[in-house]
């Protein structure tokens, strides 16, 4: 791509025209993504390095995810996509009365509750008019924040995404979370404004919300023909045609001339599209400044370039439920989202001190793949793998980079929801699944010739815990189920409390844990009793405290001796991704006062101290341990002595460092009819919530607040009764903050009573 040169414009246009027309932000004009330029290099050199047939296959391959806020219509959209591409013979609704349910919601619990719990993979073939056949791998992801890890691991391995938005509600809380996840993995997206058949739908309001709340340049590439009950089709602003869906299920796509009453609006929105593209694409900027009109091909190319560079999202419109505009979404996936050769993927070469290396997605290269999702099925463990380079063949041997263990691939399949289709081999850029390969989520596989490992995905910490006990003690299926669920889901944790003698399960929310308890009953025939939900409190310090501790113990023979000196201090969390975090443990001992072989033991003692705080017995976070000096004995000093010295020194200093209890603060978004606004806000104030924003739309309002998780238990039933069942809310972990002094006192007293009761 030719770099933008402002000086060339001065010679072509007058200063008056320049000032009136020049809309480019200087910084935005030059900001082309590094990975986009690398992709250009890859595609530029590809003919020499790839087999032409393999290159054509890659250019016609798309790996996409469908993501959105809960109830925006993701699964309904996927169902139509599968129908129009011929993968399924009939359409079934998410809460269908025929008892079938949508294809991608294969779990019985998903069909009962009408929500997606697990991400489901499939693939299809789409014939893009005048361009040929394209192969599309699709992952339909959950919208509920409790299952956010499913979205996280899907976006980790995908090249592009379709962000579905409700035409009435627009950008909602989980939309913002999904946007953040897409940015984390540099995933380009096209946006689809769904549910335009609903009362109160306003697609242009949604586009403005995308710009304001998601902070990405967006513009419509379509406008609707009618809204609500009058929705008839869409107008394609780039090809300048009206698109209608006809037939029982909208399978026939008819192109006509744009209706006269929409010409003015279409002209205005096309000009808006060009202006927004001029802000992010220098070729359109030059055409715009020359006051020329870009051609259809120039617009298509510009939308593709800007979308792949993550500078722009084209907005399409329709209604999946009413079978309107879905085929154009498939066209846009092929037209605007990248193929595997246009995405820059890297790995770390272990043999070269974890130096970054580019993965070139050609089938003739050495095999590198990432296991991103595990499922336990009736045939054993099913491992989903994204092939980044090389070819994966049935019967071949692959090596786990983490364990260096070589395993054979006994069975290779492509997934279609819960159905499997056996294949002999899978090329670079594809998504597949294998049986009989024991591994963990996030493991890298190679063909044994490379020692590459890929960076792992982001896994949020659990925020809520429950004690769980099986009705029938010593049930073998109880531990089997918990082990399986932990392997499947990195956000599901199981611990055993030695004091209370209880098994504790932790997860992302009440629904998250409810689903696993229900799955234990259905899949493993284990009925369980759950205790009251427990909040994941943390402890920390607010000031610095010095320590000078000597651990001495004399018994017959060699004793124990270890002396440590230094201080502990608060460690601030790093908010900037580019900023290097300070080490939690720092050794400043000089002169050999503590031999170097005992330093790791001191660090282990510090880590032991972090596991359980002295205030309420919860883990300690954001504390730095600086070891400055100490002493040792030639005979009595040992690793154990220094480990215990560090542990007792930390505990002593901790109580003098102004310790405080931290509680999880949740970002809560509530949507309800306008008439209940006062009641809802009053309830939030009662729960000591902080109102951040209130947005009133035509017949409903959206309130965003920060509330302590400890005060949110039972809110679901409270909201239902306060809004006559019409209100809904989502909740997502935001941060940990110190509790109020009186709450801290209550928690400490409660902990002391519990300890006394245990002693009796």
């Amino acid at each position: 791509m030719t770099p933008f040169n402002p000086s060339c414009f001065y010679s072509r246009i007058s200063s008056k025209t320049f000032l009136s027309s020049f809309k480019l932000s200087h910084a935005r004009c030059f900001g082309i993504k590094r990975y986009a330029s690398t992709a250009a290099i890859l595609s530029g050199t590809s003919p020499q390095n790839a087999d032409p047939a393999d290159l054509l296959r890659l250019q016609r391959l798309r790996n996409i995810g469908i993501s959105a806020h809960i109830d925006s219509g993701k699964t309904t959209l996927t169902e139509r996509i599968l129908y129009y591409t011929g993968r399924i013979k009939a359409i079934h609704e998410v809460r269908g009365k025929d008892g079938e349910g949508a294809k991608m919601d294969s779990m019985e619990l998903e069909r009962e509750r009408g929500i997606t719990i697990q991400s489901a993979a499939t693939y299809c073939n789409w014939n893009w008019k005048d361009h040929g056949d394209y192969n599309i791998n699709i992952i339909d992801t959950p919208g509920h924040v409790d299952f956010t890890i499913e979205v996280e691991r899907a976006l980790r391995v995908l090249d592009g995404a379709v962000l579905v938005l409700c035409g009435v509600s627009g950008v909602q809380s989980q939309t913002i979370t999904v946007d953040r996840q897409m940015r984390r993995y540099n995933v380009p997206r096209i946006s689809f404004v769904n549910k335009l058949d609903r009362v109160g739908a306003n697609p242009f309001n949604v586009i403005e919300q995308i710009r304001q709340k998601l902070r990405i340049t967006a513009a419509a590439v379509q406008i609707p023909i009618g809204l609500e009950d009058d929705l008839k089709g869409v107008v394609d602003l780039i090809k300048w045609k009206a698109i209608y869906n006809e037939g029982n299920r909208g399978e026939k796509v008819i192109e006509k001339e744009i209706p006269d009453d929409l010409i003015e609006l279409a002209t205005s929105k096309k000009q808006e599209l060009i202006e927004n593209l001029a802000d992010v694409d220098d070729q359109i900027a030059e055409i715009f400044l020359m006051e020329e009109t870009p051609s259809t091909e120039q617009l298509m190319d510009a939308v593709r370039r800007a979308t792949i560079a993550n500078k722009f999202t084209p907005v399409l419109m329709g209604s999946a439920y009413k079978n309107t505009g879905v085929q154009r979404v498939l066209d846009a996936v092929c037209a605007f989202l990248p193929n595997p050769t246009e995405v820059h993927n890297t790995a770390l070469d272990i043999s070269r001190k974890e130096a970054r290396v580019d993965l070139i997605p050609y089938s003739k290269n050495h095999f590198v793949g990432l296991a991103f999702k595990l499922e336990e099925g009736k045939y054993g463990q099913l491992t989903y793998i994204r092939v980044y380079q090389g070819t994966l063949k049935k019967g071949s041997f692959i090596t786990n980079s983490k364990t260096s263990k070589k395993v054979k691939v006994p069975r290779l399949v492509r997934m279609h929801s819960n159905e499997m289709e056996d294949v002999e081999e899978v090329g670079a850029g594809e998504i597949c699944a294998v049986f009989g390969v024991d591994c963990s989520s996030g493991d890298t596989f190679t063909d044994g010739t490379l020692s590459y490992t890929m960076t792992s995905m982001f896994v949020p910490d659990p925020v809520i815990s429950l004690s769980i006990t099986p009705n029938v003690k010593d049930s073998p299926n109880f531990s089997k189920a918990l082990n399986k669920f932990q392997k499947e889901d990195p956000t599901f944790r199981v611990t055993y409390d030695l004091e209370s003698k209880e098994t504790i399960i932790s997860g992302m929310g009440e629904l998250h844990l409810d689903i696993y308890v229900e799955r234990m009953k259905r899949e493993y025939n284990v009925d369980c009793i759950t205790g009251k939900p427990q909040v994941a409190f943390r402890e920390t310090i607010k000031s610095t405290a010095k320590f000078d501790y000597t651990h001495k113990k004399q018994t017959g023979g060699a004793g124990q001796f270890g002396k440590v000196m230094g201080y502990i201090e608060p460690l601030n969390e790093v908010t900037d991704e580019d900023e290097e975090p300070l080490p939690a443990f720092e050794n400043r001992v000089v002169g050999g006062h503590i031999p170097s072989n005992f330093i790791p033991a001191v660090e282990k003692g510090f880590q032991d101290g972090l596991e359980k705080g002295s205030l309420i017995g919860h883990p300690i976070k954001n504390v730095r341990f600086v070891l400055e000096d100490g002493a040792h004995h030639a005979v009595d000093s040992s690793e154990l002595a220094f480990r215990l010295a560090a542990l007792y020194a930390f505990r002593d200093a901790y109580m003098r460092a102004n310790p405080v209890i931290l509680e999880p603060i949740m970002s809560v978004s509530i949507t309800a009819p306008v008439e209940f606004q006062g009641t809802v806000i009053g309830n939030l104030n009662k729960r000591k919530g902080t109102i951040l924003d209130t947005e009133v739309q035509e017949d409903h309002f959206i309130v965003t607040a920060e509330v302590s998780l400890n005060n949110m238990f039972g809110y679901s039933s409270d909201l239902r009764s306060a809004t006559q069942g019409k209100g809904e809310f989502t909740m997502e972990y935001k941060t940990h903050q110190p509790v109020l002094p009186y709450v801290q006192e209550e928690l400490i007293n409660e902990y002391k009573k519990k300890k006394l009761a245990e002693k009796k």
Side-chain angles (χ1 to χ4, degrees), residues 620-631:
I620 300 168
K621 64 182 282 187
N622 298 341
V623 176
R624 189 158 173 258
F625 186 103
V626 180
L627 180 65
E628 294 183 308
D629 204 355

Side-chain angles (χ1 to χ4, degrees), residues 292-327:
E292 296 172 357
T293 303
S295 66
T296 299
E297 290 74 21
Q298 286 172 326
L299 277 177
M300 291 287 284
D301 291 345
V303 171
R304 179 175 177 78
R305 280 193 303 271
T307 302
I308 292 174
N310 256 325
K311 292 283 184 180
F312 178 79
T313 177
V315 183
L316 295 96
M317 302 178 185
S319 168
Y321 186 69
K322 294 291 184 182
N323 311 309
T324 303
V326 176
Q327 289 94 330

Side-chain angles (χ1 to χ4, degrees), residues 146-159:
D146 283 22
F147 310 111
T148 189
I149 190 66
E150 292 288 338
V151 186
E152 197 80 39
R153 57 183 166 197
L155 292 176
R156 170 67 182 83
V157 298
L158 293 172
D159 302 328

Side-chain angles (χ1 to χ4, degrees), residues 133-420:
D133 287 345
Y134 281 74
N135 294 313
I136 306 173
N137 289 311
I138 301 171
I139 297 183
D140 175 33
T141 62
H144 202 287
V145 69
D146 283 22
F147 310 111
T148 189
I149 190 66
E150 292 288 338
V151 186
E152 197 80 39
R153 57 183 166 197
L155 292 176
R156 170 67 182 83
V157 298
L158 293 172
D159 302 328
V162 179
L163 181 63
V164 184
L165 302 107
C166 173
V168 179
S169 304
V171 174
Q172 296 168 274
S173 58
Q174 187 64 6
T175 319
I176 296 169
T177 303
V178 169
D179 170 70
R180 190 165 61 242
Q181 291 169 321
M182 288 178 180
R183 289 175 190 272
R184 185 178 291 134
Y185 301 114
N186 283 329
V187 177
R189 91 287 297 263
I190 60 174
S191 301
F192 177 62
V193 181
N194 193 23
K195 300 192 176 185
L196 292 187
D197 57 308
R198 278 185 56 189
V199 175
N202 185 341
F204 305 116
N205 184 38
V206 177
I207 293 172
E208 195 54 42
Q209 287 181 17
I210 294 172
R211 293 169 183 160
Q212 298 297 326
K213 294 185 178 181
L214 303 186
R215 300 186 180 280
I216 185 169
T217 307
V221 292
Q222 296 174 348
I223 61 169
I225 302 172
L227 282 173
E228 300 175 4
D229 290 340
D230 296 326
L231 181 67
K232 296 182 177 68
V234 293
V235 171
D236 188 327
L237 298 177
I238 297 178
K239 295 188 176 176
W240 207 244
K241 290 285 181 184
I243 315 294
Y244 298 91
N245 287 82
E246 295 181 0
N248 292 335
R249 288 293 192 175
E251 57 272 17
K252 294 178 184 173
V253 180
I254 309 296
E255 290 188 3
K256 296 181 182 178
E257 294 303 313
I258 300 173
D260 293 339
D261 59 334
L262 286 175
I263 290 287
E264 188 178 338
L265 177 63
T267 305
S268 165
K269 292 299 175 184
K270 184 170 184 177
Q271 183 62 22
E272 188 180 305
L273 170 65
I274 294 167
E275 289 173 7
N276 277 281
L277 281 172
D279 277 353
V280 294
D281 185 82
D282 44 1
Q283 292 186 29
I284 292 293
E286 187 168 352
I287 294 168
F288 179 67
L289 293 172
M290 296 299 290
E291 298 184 355
E292 296 172 357
T293 303
S295 66
T296 299
E297 290 74 21
Q298 286 172 326
L299 277 177
M300 291 287 284
D301 291 345
V303 171
R304 179 175 177 78
R305 280 193 303 271
T307 302
I308 292 174
N310 256 325
K311 292 283 184 180
F312 178 79
T313 177
V315 183
L316 295 96
M317 302 178 185
S319 168
Y321 186 69
K322 294 291 184 182
N323 311 309
T324 303
V326 176
Q327 289 94 330
R328 278 298 191 259
V329 174
L330 284 164
D331 289 348
V333 165
C334 302
F336 304 138
L337 291 180
N339 65 56
T341 66
E342 294 171 304
V343 179
H344 182 209
N345 290 303
T346 60
L348 304 176
D349 190 345
I350 301 168
S351 63
R352 292 195 292 137
K353 296 183 179 178
E354 296 193 351
R356 283 196 176 273
V357 287
D358 290 337
L359 297 176
I360 313 299
Y362 301 139
S363 296
K364 73 171 191 176
N365 291 351
H366 293 294
F367 168 73
V368 178
L370 179 72
F372 67 94
K373 178 177 161 69
L374 309 177
E375 272 182 21
E376 198 72 32
K378 55 185 176 182
Y379 303 111
Q381 181 175 302
L382 180 68
T383 305
Y384 288 75
I385 292 180
R386 161 73 195 260
V387 181
Y388 281 97
Q389 69 174 36
T391 304
L392 182 59
K393 296 180 180 178
K394 179 183 174 182
S396 63
F397 285 90
I398 55 176
T399 303
N400 187 327
S401 295
K402 188 167 77 175
T403 61
S404 299
K405 189 178 174 184
K406 188 181 274 192
V407 290
K408 188 178 181 180
V409 181
R411 188 180 176 195
L412 187 62
V413 297
R414 297 188 72 171
M415 298 303 296
H416 179 43
S417 186
N418 61 335
E419 296 172 8
M420 287 160 266

